Amino acid sequence: MPELPEVETVRRQLHQKLRGRKIRQVKILKTGREWPRGNRFTRALQGQTVLAVRRRAKLLIWELDNGTFVMGHLKMTGRFVFVGTGLQPDKHDRIVFELEGLPQCLVWSDIRQFGFLKVMNTEQLKQLLSNYGPEPLEVSPQVLADRLKTPKTRHLKAALLNQTVIAGIGNIYADEACHRAGLRPSRRLGDLTSADRLRLAKSIQQVLRESLAQQGTSANDYLDTNGERGGFLELLRVYGREGQPCKNCQAPVKKIVLAQRGTHYCANCQK
DNA sequence: ACTATCCCCTGACGGC
DNA sequence: TGCCGTCAGGGGATAG
């Protein structure tokens, strides 16, 4: 559920609070999908200083002063949250980070346990990141449009969800971008005109920017590092609005399954 | 080398 | 009240 705007919101908050701070202690409360497991994970981080927190696609990357990185993925319910010390841990809390000079702990929790943190070296990180498509807010619309040409038979929805095509888009913004562009998610790439692709590319950038300005969308589980909800939910035009009136034309929003995902669109506005 | 499908997990919710 | 089935979904693994 956390997509580019949500992950970027978390990144900004983490960067602000972690930059320049030494990780004093790492406590593992519950084993997850972290690598390496257990004490090796703890030892890899304790005593390191966080130089910066970066984002690529939906990945959060802590840059440490010994040249290694902590790569994290929130998946659907992963959460970094700053909490006061001495509080009773939640049943889903997995890791507690204590930072020098910070009166709060940083807790990593994850209800569905799909998320993970991995310690990586430069080469491993470079290898991982090489598989992703362009950052949609860091390239021109034309660059994005050109990514949506092939394979011709692929559904638009499937292409938008594929991180090697364009990075950072997930189910919410795929549906929202298609609605803004007036294109049905079931359209095949080969059917799109150059103008369609360019319009879609601009819609992608527009919806991501607008959501980022609202600190993202809290559709289901997403909360930022302060436990706050994103403000973009009520500005969604189709996602999660099955049967409700389209915000353009009042026709009821339809929901189908496409690329294994719930897919929302307006049959009147989107062709 | 492709694409499509399965599956990991827990909590919320509807039906009975 | 409780039980059961269904759904939410990113992306790696696997089947085709």
Side-chain angles (χ1 to χ4, degrees), chain A residues 31 38 48 70 75 117 126 187 232 258:
Chain A
T31 303
Q48 297 303 314
V70 181
K75 290 293 180 100
L117 305 178
K126 187 178 166 189
R187 288 282 292 276
F232 200 64
L258 204 53

Side-chain angles (χ1 to χ4, degrees), chain A residues 147-149 151-162 165-166 169 174-175 177-179 181-192 196-197 199-201 204 258-259 263 270-271:
Chain A
R147 303 286 296 174
L148 297 166
K149 286 182 175 172
K152 291 181 186 292
T153 59
R154 180 180 275 176
H155 289 131
L156 187 44
K157 176 74 178 245
L160 291 174
L161 292 178
N162 189 321
V165 176
I166 296 171
I169 300 171
D175 285 2
C178 286
H179 181 264
L183 296 169
R184 291 198 190 186
S186 56
R187 288 282 292 276
R188 308 273 176 175
L189 295 188
D191 296 335
L192 302 179
D196 287 337
R197 285 192 292 269
R199 199 169 65 253
L200 179 60
I204 290 167
L258 204 53
T263 299
Q270 293 170 260
K271 304 297 182 191

Side-chain angles (χ1 to χ4, degrees), chain A residues 193-208:
Chain A
T193 65
S194 302
D196 287 337
R197 285 192 292 269
L198 192 58
R199 199 169 65 253
L200 179 60
K202 289 177 178 173
S203 297
I204 290 167
Q205 294 189 333
Q206 188 183 53
V207 71
L208 292 176

Side-chain angles (χ1 to χ4, degrees), chain A residues 62-83:
Chain A
W62 300 11
E63 188 181 336
L64 305 180
D65 66 344
N66 66 353
T68 65
F69 302 87
V70 181
M71 188 277 292
H73 199 308
L74 306 176
K75 290 293 180 100
M76 268 71 69
T77 57
R79 191 177 290 171
F80 281 114
V81 60
F82 289 100
V83 301

Side-chain angles (χ1 to χ4, degrees), chain A residues 28 30-38 41 94-95 108 115-118:
Chain A
I28 297 180
K30 183 177 178 177
T31 303
R33 297 171 60 197
E34 281 64 44
W35 191 90
R37 297 293 194 93
F41 180 86
R94 278 155 55 169
I95 300 178
W108 166 245
F116 56 82
L117 305 178
K118 289 181 197 285

